[in-house]
Amino acid sequence: PPRSTLFPYTTLFRSEIPTQFNEQPWRVAKEFYGNERLYYIFSLLNSDILVDPIYDFTTGTVIRIPTLERVQTWLNSSRNVK
């Protein structure tokens, strides 16, 4: 399983990408959020690491992953922008 470290006072955690998800961010999005189309969130939060959202999503890379609650809040607030 991936090593995860919760950071206090935040809704992000860091995790190392495990072998079974190498170059497959949509599988992580499906597992964490129930929707594989949300894989782009990883590249938004890790733009310094994941220049290419698929090919840079490699085994052993440590990335920031938002909680489902944070993703839902972000999606809901972005829909309210006029």
Side-chain angles (χ1 to χ4, degrees):
R3 288 181 324 182
S4 299
T5 305
L6 291 174
F7 290 100
Y9 314 112
T10 184
T11 55
L12 286 174
F13 65 93
R14 291 183 188 224
S15 184
E16 187 175 295
I17 299 169
T19 305
Q20 69 265 30
F21 297 122
N22 188 55
E23 295 184 357
Q24 299 179 45
W26 57 88
R27 288 184 59 212
V28 177
K30 177 73 172 172
E31 186 172 311
F32 283 11
Y33 312 128
N35 187 338
E36 61 192 21
R37 292 182 294 168
L38 294 176
Y39 78 89
Y40 69 89
I41 289 172
F42 304 129
S43 61
L44 289 176
L45 287 173
N46 299 281
S47 60
D48 56 328
I49 300 168
L50 302 176
V51 176
D52 183 292
I54 295 175
Y55 294 113
D56 290 337
F57 200 86
T58 56
T59 301
T61 303
V62 177
I63 61 169
R64 293 176 296 278
I65 300 177
T67 62
L68 176 59
E69 180 181 286
R70 181 172 179 163
V71 170
Q72 289 172 332
T73 300
W74 180 74
L75 289 172
N76 289 334
S77 67
S78 67
R79 289 187 181 129
N80 295 331
V81 175
K82 294 180 182 179

